[in-house]
Amino acid sequence: GAGVSQSPRYKVAKRGQDVALRCDPISGHVSLFWYQQALGQGPEFLTYFQNEAQLDKSGLPSDRFFAERPEGSVSTLKIQRTQQEDSAVYLCASSFPPGTAYEQYFGPGTRLTVT
Amino acid sequence: DAKTTQPTSMDCAEGRAANLPCNHSTISGNEYVYWYRQIHSQGPQYIIHGLKNNETNEMASLIITEDRKSSTLILPHATLRDTAVYYCIVRVATGANNLFFGTGTRLTVIP
């Protein structure tokens, strides 16, 4: 079946521009996560949704970062007034807890470059 | 979630077993050991997880020591496509806990 998809795959933004990154999770998956991965580092948690409710946004680095999932399916990560330090790969993952396994399925990521 | 320690990098000859170690000396009784890998330019991929017992699936085997303070991921016959960064993560397998990846082990399979 279809996996997690993300768009665009690549985004170049000039410093100060706003960007919106989209995530289409696996159909029926309740949980959705956003991660940020800097070059040479492991992914770092940004925020978590259960259906449409944003239950954890402790990893968002600043108030320029905003995420939403209004209908409990597609999610959008928005970054306002982008800065060079925002350059990273943004990964989306979804999961539907099958007992205790709770594995997360990741999309290919969106590579954001801020110039 | 408990912290894990992994070697930065490892090499393995194609066709041989790749044994990737992970230390998690502060693991709690209700924390599982998970392994994910990330092939270049792709998102992380789940491999296997376990609590106490050794586990095996079509991708790999997971060996957890009796005191649960360390574990080893075994790829029995490594191929070039197994070249990736491998992440060992310990976490409670309930609720909606996010994953703490660390920097992982970069495994290079050599022809």
Side-chain angles (χ1 to χ4, degrees):
Chain A
V4 177
S5 61
Q6 293 186 245
S7 60
R9 288 294 313 278
Y10 303 91
K11 176 70 177 177
V12 179
K14 291 186 177 179
R15 190 162 59 93
Q17 283 184 333
D18 298 348
V19 298
L21 311 180
R22 177 187 170 107
C23 172
D24 284 82
I26 294 172
S27 178
H29 277 195
V30 168
S31 300
L32 187 145
F33 301 80
W34 283 98
Y35 293 84
Q36 180 190 57
Q37 186 170 24
L39 189 64
Q41 303 296 315
E44 293 189 357
F45 170 75
L46 293 176
T47 187
Y48 160 70
F49 290 86
Q50 182 172 312
N51 295 307
E52 69 280 1
Q54 188 175 19
L55 298 186
D56 188 348
K57 52 183 181 179
S58 61
L60 296 176
S62 78
D63 58 7
R64 295 186 296 104
F65 286 71
F66 172 77
E68 61 183 5
R69 193 186 185 197
E71 297 179 358
S73 177
V74 171
S75 177
T76 303
L77 176 67
K78 297 180 180 178
I79 309 174
Q80 297 176 326
R81 305 181 303 281
T82 53
Q83 304 295 316
Q84 284 193 317
E85 60 263 28
D86 299 336
S87 295
V89 174
Y90 291 85
L91 294 160
C92 175
S94 70
S95 67
F96 182 80
T100 58
Y102 214 76
E103 62 187 88
Q104 294 183 18
Y105 297 84
F106 283 80
T110 294
R111 180 176 296 279
L112 172 65
T113 302
V114 181
T115 61
Chain B
D1 292 334
K3 180 180 172 60
T4 63
T5 304
Q6 300 177 252
T8 302
S9 63
M10 294 180 63
D11 292 340
C12 177
E14 187 178 17
R16 304 296 295 270
N19 297 278
L20 292 91
C22 179
N23 288 321
H24 32 78
S25 58
T26 60
I27 191 170
S28 301
N30 63 345
E31 287 183 312
Y32 287 67
V33 180
Y34 284 75
W35 284 83
Y36 281 73
R37 73 179 182 184
Q38 189 172 24
I39 295 169
H40 184 62
S41 295
Q42 297 184 21
Q45 175 191 24
Y46 167 83
I47 302 173
I48 197 167
H49 77 284
L51 181 63
K52 297 180 183 177
N53 300 322
N54 299 337
E55 302 289 339
T56 296
N57 62 20
E58 65 279 4
M59 290 182 68
S61 295
L62 174 60
I63 308 298
I64 303 173
T65 58
E66 191 169 344
D67 63 7
R68 303 211 319 125
K69 293 185 176 182
S70 65
S71 61
T72 301
L73 179 74
I74 301 173
L75 308 178
H77 306 287
T79 70
L80 298 180
R81 289 175 296 179
D82 292 322
T83 293
V85 178
Y86 287 77
Y87 297 97
C88 170
I89 301 165
V90 294
R91 62 187 287 266
V92 178
T94 59
N97 288 4
N98 50 285
L99 299 169
F100 291 90
F101 280 87
T103 53
T105 295
R106 180 173 298 278
L107 174 70
T108 303
V109 180
I110 302 169

